[in-house]
Amino acid sequence: DGGITQSPKYLFRKEGQNVTLSCEQNLNHDAMYWYRQDPGQGLRLIYYSQIVNDFQKGDIAEGYSVSREKKESFPLTVTSAQKNPTAFYLCASTPGYWTQPQHFGDGTRLSIL
Amino acid sequence: LAKTTQPISMDSYEGQEVNITCSHNNIATNDYITWYQQFPSQGPRFIIQGYKTKVTNEVASLFIPADRKSSTLSLPRVSLSDTAVYYCLVGDDGSSNTGKLIFGQGTTLQVKP
């Protein structure tokens, strides 16, 4: 079945450490997105990518970095510069740029040790 | 970007019909209205999308008045498993390339036995 796979499901970060969240899709979608969700809140856009080797900052990009070397992969790195990284991270994809519906993975929950 | 307003929470009982209304006063001509459902610790998933009048699928109905400044998601005969957060989004069909999609706080629906 086609879909989006996020790994790991749970991740723990030590102070001062960078961690990378994986997002892989086999839907052959061009566009991919990363969102952050805090408890009881909606989703906030971190980064998005329209095509391979191209990506743009979303609303809360500070302290995060991404790469898009392959169409099916869009990893997110949470750097030590992100002072409040504890959240639920969601990856999504769409066939075209900001078309709908967005297809989501089941998220990665990041916590600080 | 059209901003949406929806109730923060709603309660219902099993077997009842639930109607969740979303306001989007600044909706643009190219904008579609899309609803997503999110269960705890999962990514949102698409429920239904419409442009005007009424759309129905196996899960829900979407009612959109002529002025398109609001929309109502109708869930027939809800069950306990319909307890979730429901998001109303307004976005264009991708043709204008302006993005983005804004996930607000959503409506938390609690279905009681």
Side-chain angles (χ1 to χ4, degrees):
Chain A
D1 288 338
I4 297 182
T5 301
Q6 290 188 243
S7 62
K9 193 168 180 63
Y10 299 96
L11 187 58
F12 299 92
R13 194 191 91 170
K14 295 180 180 179
E15 294 286 346
Q17 190 180 50
N18 293 352
V19 291
T20 297
L21 284 60
S22 171
C23 176
E24 302 278 331
Q25 55 101 354
N26 60 3
L27 299 166
N28 199 33
H29 285 173
D30 286 326
M32 297 186 74
Y33 315 81
W34 273 106
Y35 292 92
R36 169 182 172 139
Q37 187 173 35
D38 293 287
Q41 302 299 312
L43 281 65
R44 291 187 289 169
L45 182 66
I46 305 173
Y47 267 99
Y48 56 106
S49 168
Q50 185 176 2
I51 56 173
V52 173
N53 293 322
D54 182 66
F55 47 83
Q56 288 81 41
K57 293 182 179 180
D59 301 318
I60 55 165
E62 185 175 350
Y64 300 97
S65 66
V66 293
S67 63
R68 187 86 187 276
E69 297 177 0
K70 298 186 297 183
K71 184 176 184 177
E72 58 270 22
S73 179
F74 191 39
L76 173 75
T77 297
V78 183
T79 74
S80 57
Q82 172 51 244
K83 298 306 179 188
N84 185 24
T86 297
F88 189 48
Y89 291 87
L90 288 159
C91 178
S93 72
T94 54
Y97 190 50
W98 288 114
T99 56
Q100 295 196 68
Q102 291 205 325
H103 298 257
F104 284 86
D106 278 339
T108 293
R109 192 168 299 279
L110 176 62
S111 302
I112 297 299
L113 289 176
Chain B
L1 293 173
K3 177 179 166 56
T4 61
T5 303
Q6 53 184 123
I8 296 296
S9 64
M10 294 182 69
D11 289 341
S12 182
Y13 291 92
E14 282 191 290
Q16 289 188 333
E17 178 185 74
V18 171
N19 296 309
I20 306 174
T21 297
C22 178
S23 298
H24 28 79
N25 291 318
N26 296 323
I27 190 168
T29 303
N30 287 341
D31 286 344
Y32 283 76
I33 301 153
T34 310
W35 286 79
Y36 291 81
Q37 175 191 56
Q38 185 182 25
F39 297 113
S41 297
Q42 292 185 24
R45 66 170 188 160
F46 170 83
I47 300 176
I48 197 166
Q49 183 179 70
Y51 184 79
K52 62 180 179 181
T53 63
K54 176 184 174 182
V55 180
T56 298
N57 61 22
E58 65 277 7
V59 176
S61 294
L62 178 60
F63 298 92
I64 305 169
D67 66 6
R68 304 201 325 123
K69 293 184 182 300
S70 67
S71 59
T72 299
L73 174 71
S74 181
L75 304 172
R77 296 179 299 281
V78 294
S79 64
L80 295 176
S81 63
D82 292 315
T83 294
V85 178
Y86 293 83
Y87 296 97
C88 165
L89 272 74
V90 172
D92 68 25
D93 57 1
S95 60
S96 69
N97 212 31
T98 57
K100 306 167 183 169
L101 296 175
I102 299 176
F103 283 83
Q105 204 166 348
T107 297
T108 299
L109 172 64
Q110 180 70 50
V111 180
K112 303 176 183 178

